[in-house]
Amino acid sequence: MELAKAKEAAELASQAKSEFLSNMTHELRTPLNGILGYAQILQRDKTASPKQKHSIDLVYQCGTHLLNLINDILELSKIEARKMELLPKEIHFPTLLISVVEICRIKAQQKGISFIYQPSSCLPAGIVADEKRLRQVLINLLSNALKFTDHGGVTFKVEVISNDKAVQPPLPRIYRDQQEGEVITDKIMPLIGKAPESPMVRIRFQIEDTGIGLNPEELETIFLPFEQFGDSAIRDQGTGLGLAISQKIVNLMGSHIKVESTSGKGSVFSVDLDLPTTTVMDHKTKIYTNTIVGFQGKVRKIVVVDDKPKNRSFIVNFLQPLGFKLLEASNGVEGLEKAIEFHPDLIITDLVMPVMDGFEMMRRIRSSEQLKQIMVIATSASVYELEHQQSQDIGWIDILSKPVNVEELLDKLKRHLQLEWVYEQYDTEVSKIKIESVKKVLPEAIVPPPADVLAELYDLAKKGNMFAIIKSA
């Protein structure tokens, strides 16, 4: 009886915690949407002086740091509440690794240390995995190694340690939580566009550094939330949540992070993952290094529905100069009226609004013969709410989390409206990234970018925003 009451109390406390975090996230993200939104617009202003650009960049970096802190706390809470879902899909494995390596290589050059990338020649071209989460784990582990290494360098090895012709195991998998010691069931969404059976391969990711290392006492607590090591200057560079989140994500993938370390000599972190393989086309990414000034073809009409004027004005002021025709609405009723009157190509709508919310407006659009073909992108400052509605398949074609990232917005507009961007200088050269398995990248080989640019690339990599990274390259 007492056990049942304790369990009920724990469940109520967990629910209250989730609701509190959801509400606080919404309240914090709403003003950040305006701050980061206009900072991104001002960053594109070619009339700004170098001093003004530096100040704008500083505003954006500080806002992004706060956003990352919010995201890390929320993400850890989601994992602990068993609310994180993996979304496996087919990905081109070498491209994923290159994107991670290039970001970390820049940071190594900035610090004046070497970075060695050693991929096995037997790596599969295609795997099935949650690309965002896998990238997040690798960047977190590599960033930690680089952060704690001032002399020598970091070596990143990726190798196949076993090929198994067995098929993918049935879902869901069972794994053992490293901190709590309990057996729980993870949640893995059905594979996107994947056959029920796939050959499996076990891949080892190993990161070795010559940094400060860890003593035995630190090894026991390294994966606990908010645990930080090193001097105050190093501690200020993070939230103390990266390793805790990475371990939880790897647990969801059916494995765990191993670490060997000697104080004063360095550390070795490794992860072994069993991944289904797949045959995917080798895709080549076009690099566009210049500013978008418009798009080809007819004018596209977009209705922006949000009860907060500053949220609407940010999107309107960003997209209007590119040639879009923008219409504004403050709630679902006005949004429907604008849709009926102008029949837009796309609606970008908030979810929580007075009079009529985004959910009801969406239902009415989908039930209307006149409007049901209009594409809708949902935006929300409440991450829990947005992900829940996505799983319920309300009917929108895509989602945007606030604060809205302009590169992500442009990427979604390009994809769904089938746009062809016009650039200041349109460059169709294909990126040719040279992979050298064991070649050291010496600090004098390339002049590193400024610290603010490096910080921005690092933040984009943590978010998995490849469109923005490629554009900045």
Side-chain angles (χ1 to χ4, degrees), residues 141-142 144-146 148-149 151-155 207-213 260-262 265-269:
L141 293 177
L142 285 165
N144 265 340
L146 292 166
F148 290 103
T149 302
H151 306 284
V154 174
T155 301
I207 296 97
E208 182 176 355
D209 66 67
T210 58
I212 62 174
E260 298 176 3
S261 186
T262 303
K265 293 186 177 180
S267 305
V268 179
F269 286 78

Side-chain angles (χ1 to χ4, degrees), residues 193-204:
K194 185 68 192 150
E197 298 183 350
S198 304
M200 300 289 289
V201 62
R202 177 167 295 179
I203 296 176
R204 174 168 294 165

Side-chain angles (χ1 to χ4, degrees), residues 93-94 97 117-127 156-161 163 201-205 277 435:
F93 194 33
L97 293 173
Y117 173 41
Q118 295 181 334
S120 166
S121 60
C122 301
L123 293 179
I127 60 171
F156 178 36
K157 298 179 181 179
V158 186
E159 59 184 339
V160 175
I161 58 175
N163 284 291
V201 62
R202 177 167 295 179
I203 296 176
R204 174 168 294 165
F205 304 89
T277 60
I435 307 175

Side-chain angles (χ1 to χ4, degrees), residues 143 190 218 340 355 404:
S143 297
E218 291 172 331
I340 293 172
V355 185
V404 174

Side-chain angles (χ1 to χ4, degrees), residues 179 214-224 227 229 259:
Q179 269 69 51
L214 299 166
N215 58 47
E217 292 77 18
E218 291 172 331
L219 284 173
E220 293 178 2
T221 60
I222 191 172
F223 294 110
L224 295 179
E227 284 293 327
F229 306 97
V259 57

